[in-house]
Amino acid sequence: MTESTRCDEFQEGLAELATGAASGPDRASVLAHLAGCDDCRRELEELTRVADEVLLIAPQHQPPAGFESAVFDRIRSEGGAGAERPVRARARWRHRALRPLAAVAAA
């Protein structure tokens, strides 16, 4: 197994570590890898910097109830991109797209 392939195994763990969302065993595994991998240490530094920046721009308060629905209704009414995509597919995409932000917010 090459080093880059091995590093690929830790990409999700690096993001979780950067946001403070890594669990004990996962955290220990990533930290052990970081002890011998300069590339992943640099990646972690970058991810941590980005996570800190996201925290600075994240809203202090939750948007009002119904905000998300209103946005999607407006996109549909204006025929914007994604208007024809099924709601279930958009929900999956939103969940995946917002996972890192949610982890940062939780941290």
Side-chain angles (χ1 to χ4, degrees):
M1 182 183 317
T2 66
E3 185 62 27
S4 72
T5 303
R6 181 157 163 69
C7 292
D8 290 345
E9 297 173 19
F10 291 96
Q11 289 304 303
E12 187 174 331
L14 288 173
E16 290 176 354
L17 189 63
T19 60
S23 66
D26 293 337
R27 180 180 171 86
S29 174
V30 172
L31 290 174
H33 174 74
L34 288 172
C37 185
D38 292 336
D39 290 338
C40 286
R41 276 196 303 272
R42 282 190 293 275
E43 178 74 12
L44 177 62
E45 289 173 11
E46 179 67 17
L47 289 170
T48 302
R49 185 186 60 75
V50 170
D52 290 345
E53 289 176 6
V54 168
L55 282 174
L56 293 174
I57 63 170
Q60 296 283 330
H61 305 282
Q62 292 293 324
F67 175 78
E68 185 177 288
S69 297
V71 169
F72 284 120
D73 289 345
R74 184 160 183 187
I75 290 170
R76 265 188 241 107
S77 71
E78 293 179 6
E84 66 284 346
R85 286 175 39 191
V87 173
R88 177 177 238 146
R90 279 198 310 269
R92 265 196 318 273
W93 175 84
R94 260 194 330 266
H95 178 71
R96 276 182 280 168
L98 296 177
R99 189 179 303 159
L101 183 57
V104 169

